[in-house]
Amino acid sequence: MMEREQTERRGKIWLAGAGPGDASLLTVKTRQLLDAADVVVYDALISAEILSQIPREKKLINVGKRSGNHPVPQPEINEILVEEAKKGKKVLRLKGGDPFVFGRGGEEIERLLQEGIPFEVVPGVTSACAVPAYAGIPITHRDYTSSFHVITGHARKGETADIPYKELVKINGTLVFLMGMTALPSICKGLLEAGMAADMPAAVLERGTTAKQRRVVSTLAGLPEAAKKACVRTPAVIIVGKVCALEKEFHWAEDRPLGGRQILLTRPKQNISKLAGNLRKLGAQVIELPSIETRPIEPNPVLNGALERFGKRAKEEWLVFTSPIGVQVLFEQLKEMKKDMRDLIGIPMKNGVEIKIAAIGKSTAAELENHSLSADLIPDVYCAAQLGRELAKAAAADSAVTIVRAAKGSKELIPPLEKVGIMVEDIPLYVTEYQIHEELHEKLAGMFADREIDAVTFTSASTVQGFVKAVHGVEFENITAVCIGEQTAREAEKYGMDIVVSERASMDSMTEKIVELFAAV
Ligand code: SAH
């Protein structure tokens, strides 16, 4: 007990590896820590895909960059960790790859020990192995090599990297150099001078495991020139050894249906995961932008009034839903109000009133089914105007319609109904709010500027509005927008985006559309 109290007061540090970039390579333990930590202290190598998975309420400290793009010096990082732990915080120190593979994790631990701050180390998937693996290069292969060696190409200030070339050549294993891009010409020269064959296969692997990974494969003698020609950017690993030649047959990552594609999802936070899962399975890198959160309007006197009147105004009464969340919120509100289904539907029906239900699309209808209600009307096309038109035809002339949906729902639903003299009440149930980490903002703006996001998905007009408000300095004309329906597409079009519309209003149909879009390229 004593010990626990002390830990709580002092906080604790988890020194964890985030892997080389692909968020699916986060370990289960690190994934859990993203949720459990109070503070996340992270490096420049942490990808936007991973940042997008950190809950909004966490404190984020970026030590990969200070003003002018320089990283925070190591002693200062150590002090940040000590300071946060002393406040009693659970601190996740998140590093690229594995924390002990050239990650200066050891130095951080020495400082924590001085202060008696408890810590745990969570190993990560190191780029030294994972980046070659994603490039189709097995780091060892019985026919070619029996060892591998991971070497830093980075020298301490004012010194040149002290690499034992002779020994490395003699041992005849696969060589992997991290932080070696600046020193690439001298590394190749060193190995050649130590007697390695000039035609030894060698490669530079840029931004491995991400959608934008590239590889330049050459010979040891030709590699510096080939890398220069290809304008290789960091981070990149250099790999030297016979196994590099296997990539011609073993490549796989780009060959997946959505390999090499980076897709940004904007969805209400509550149900972002199905589409993300679909796309990841097909090889895409997925950034989940929780741009919208729905918040029920509470108290809601307008809803109270409408529910009082519902079932008492006409011989035929329609209840209309335009989103699954609308269904969920209505049932939560009914529970809050201690309303029974018999009050809402049973009693009017007993009095000879016909109660009918309309849903804008299949997912809304499926959510209704979860509450034991089946929709009488679902339009063929997922779109508010079409729902209005079909409802105007299906409803009796003197019927009444109650629409329960988001505040500021589409205006196009109502005119077709009013035109045929149907009484309409439009009831706002929830509002949508926008939220995004400032840190992620910056990364995204850069990625859009570099045209690294291949498509953005939108599942309602309000997700478009949310996205447009949430990102700054983005040229919307350069965006390919994959939209769930006409109405969403029209909203995206307003900003000049390139539009693609899914056939049906489902996540599977969105996925199919995205595959189709990139298969054609
Ligand atoms: N701890 C990290 C390495 C930190 S040193 C790990 O275990 O992976 C930083 C170097 O790692 C970079 O200079 C680069 O050589 C390599 N690196 C990290 N991520 C990479 C990636 N996605 N693609 C290519 N190289 C990467």
Side-chain angles (χ1 to χ4, degrees):
M1 186 64 198
M2 269 290 286
E3 197 182 310
R4 213 171 101 203
E5 270 172 20
Q6 274 185 357
T7 305
E8 274 165 19
R9 213 177 54 236
R10 275 180 306 168
K12 183 166 173 177
I13 311 279
W14 282 264
L15 194 61
D22 179 346
S24 324
L25 296 180
L26 278 170
T27 63
V28 174
K29 189 159 179 183
T30 301
R31 182 94 237 354
Q32 287 164 347
L33 285 165
L34 288 178
D35 291 325
D38 304 307
V39 183
V40 183
V41 180
Y42 69 96
D43 290 333
L45 281 175
I46 306 304
S47 64
E49 187 185 22
I50 291 172
L51 278 184
S52 76
Q53 296 186 14
I54 301 177
R56 177 76 175 91
E57 62 280 5
K58 309 290 169 188
K59 178 172 174 187
L60 288 187
I61 304 178
N62 177 359
V63 292
K65 191 189 73 175
R66 227 175 17 179
S67 52
N69 264 335
H70 291 299
V72 175
Q74 190 62 47
E76 257 180 63
I77 299 177
N78 298 348
E79 291 327 301
I80 290 171
L81 298 179
V82 169
E83 210 175 285
E84 292 295 333
K86 282 188 171 169
K87 285 187 209 157
K89 302 291 182 203
K90 292 197 271 287
V91 183
L92 175 61
R93 171 71 178 108
L94 198 58
K95 291 166 175 286
D98 178 274
F100 282 162
V101 178
F102 307 129
R104 304 187 75 171
E107 291 160 64
E108 291 173 11
I109 287 181
E110 281 159 7
R111 184 73 188 94
L112 299 178
L113 282 174
Q114 282 171 357
E115 296 289 336
I117 292 167
F119 63 88
E120 283 187 36
V121 181
V122 187
V125 174
T126 178
S127 62
C129 302
V131 170
Y134 268 56
I137 300 175
I139 198 159
T140 71
H141 186 299
R142 253 164 59 123
D143 296 344
Y144 305 102
T145 174
S146 56
S147 67
F148 68 86
H149 311 271
V150 182
I151 306 130
T152 173
H154 183 73
R156 288 187 180 232
K157 248 201 183 116
E159 298 172 20
T160 46
D162 188 15
I163 300 171
Y165 293 111
K166 277 216 149 45
E167 288 78 358
L168 287 174
V169 173
K170 203 161 140 205
I171 209 164
N172 211 14
T174 304
L175 306 180
V176 181
F177 295 88
L178 303 190
M179 296 184 284
M181 284 315 287
T182 318
L184 176 63
S186 76
I187 289 171
C188 294
K189 188 163 160 259
L191 291 172
L192 288 168
E193 283 173 2
M196 191 179 274
D199 63 354
M200 176 65 84
V204 165
L205 312 173
E206 177 195 272
R207 296 204 280 171
T209 80
T210 73
K212 302 300 156 193
Q213 73 171 35
R214 283 199 307 161
R215 59 179 174 277
V216 176
V217 188
S218 179
T219 58
L220 179 61
L223 193 61
E225 192 52 37
K228 199 168 147 197
K229 227 171 158 180
C231 299
V232 174
R233 288 169 46 181
T234 57
V237 304
I238 302 162
I239 176 162
V240 181
K242 292 188 186 122
V243 287
C244 290
L246 294 172
E247 118 335 292
K248 275 194 203 72
E249 284 180 61
F250 285 15
H251 61 82
W252 60 273
E254 299 79 3
D255 313 333
R256 294 169 292 173
L258 294 177
R261 301 297 175 184
Q262 180 144 252
I263 297 167
L264 183 78
L265 306 195
T266 63
R267 295 213 63 200
K269 198 175 176 185
Q270 289 89 334
N271 44 17
I272 203 163
S273 51
K274 165 131 172 110
L275 185 56
N278 280 357
L279 298 175
R280 285 205 175 102
K281 259 187 240 154
L282 293 162
Q285 191 163 23
V286 177
I287 301 170
E288 299 163 56
L289 187 70
S291 65
I292 293 188
E293 197 160 59
T294 49
R295 188 170 54 77
I297 298 171
E298 277 171 325
N300 192 339
V302 184
L303 174 64
N304 282 346
L307 292 179
E308 283 307 317
R309 289 186 294 279
F310 184 76
K312 300 191 185 96
R313 296 168 307 171
K315 281 275 152 228
E316 183 179 308
E317 293 242 13
W318 285 80
L319 199 51
V320 179
F321 296 89
T322 64
S323 68
I325 290 166
V327 179
Q328 288 164 14
V329 174
L330 180 73
F331 279 92
E332 275 159 28
Q333 301 280 75
L334 287 172
K335 203 162 127 197
E336 288 282 304
M337 293 172 185
K338 306 222 175 323
K339 284 240 182 238
D340 193 300
M341 278 305 263
R342 284 169 297 188
D343 302 326
L344 188 69
I345 289 176
I347 295 172
M349 287 181 87
K350 215 170 131 205
N351 293 337
V353 175
E354 190 155 9
I355 303 290
K356 293 203 158 177
I357 293 173
I360 197 163
K362 280 202 184 116
S363 359
T364 307
E367 190 56 43
L368 281 165
E369 273 168 17
N370 288 340
H371 297 273
S372 305
L373 291 174
S374 59
D376 299 286
L377 180 106
I378 309 169
D380 290 338
V381 186
Y382 175 96
C383 137
Q386 184 66 13
L387 174 61
R389 284 190 291 270
E390 292 196 22
L391 191 54
K393 261 193 232 150
D398 52 357
S399 58
V401 167
T402 305
I403 306 166
V404 279
R405 59 175 176 169
K408 297 204 196 120
S410 163
K411 292 191 188 74
E412 295 173 9
L413 174 55
I414 299 174
L417 298 167
E418 287 181 337
K419 211 165 130 196
V420 293
I422 291 173
M423 195 192 323
V424 183
E425 282 203 63
D426 190 9
I427 311 301
L429 275 187
Y430 57 92
V431 288
T432 49
E433 286 178 347
Y434 310 106
Q435 51 161 281
I436 173 174
H437 273 299
E438 203 40 55
E439 293 293 331
L440 188 55
H441 258 152
E442 271 185 41
K443 267 212 164 115
L444 286 177
M447 290 164 82
F448 275 111
D450 293 343
R451 309 287 288 267
E452 285 185 1
I453 308 243
D454 297 289
V456 182
T457 67
F458 296 108
T459 52
S460 67
S462 55
T463 58
V464 179
Q465 292 150 9
F467 170 77
V468 168
K469 272 196 210 156
V471 296
H472 311 311
V474 171
E475 304 268 357
F476 297 123
E477 294 80 10
N478 294 336
I479 290 178
T480 300
V482 182
C483 301
I484 203 163
E486 284 306 327
Q487 195 187 324
T488 309
R490 233 165 298 141
E491 190 65 29
E493 239 164 16
K494 279 189 202 158
Y495 299 93
M497 299 182 201
D498 257 345
I499 306 300
V500 181
V501 187
S502 69
E503 310 297 327
R504 282 160 286 112
S506 71
M507 294 309 114
D508 288 338
S509 184
M510 294 277 279
T511 310
E512 278 164 27
K513 199 78 207 174
I514 292 169
V515 172
E516 204 180 284
L517 177 70
F518 294 120
V521 177

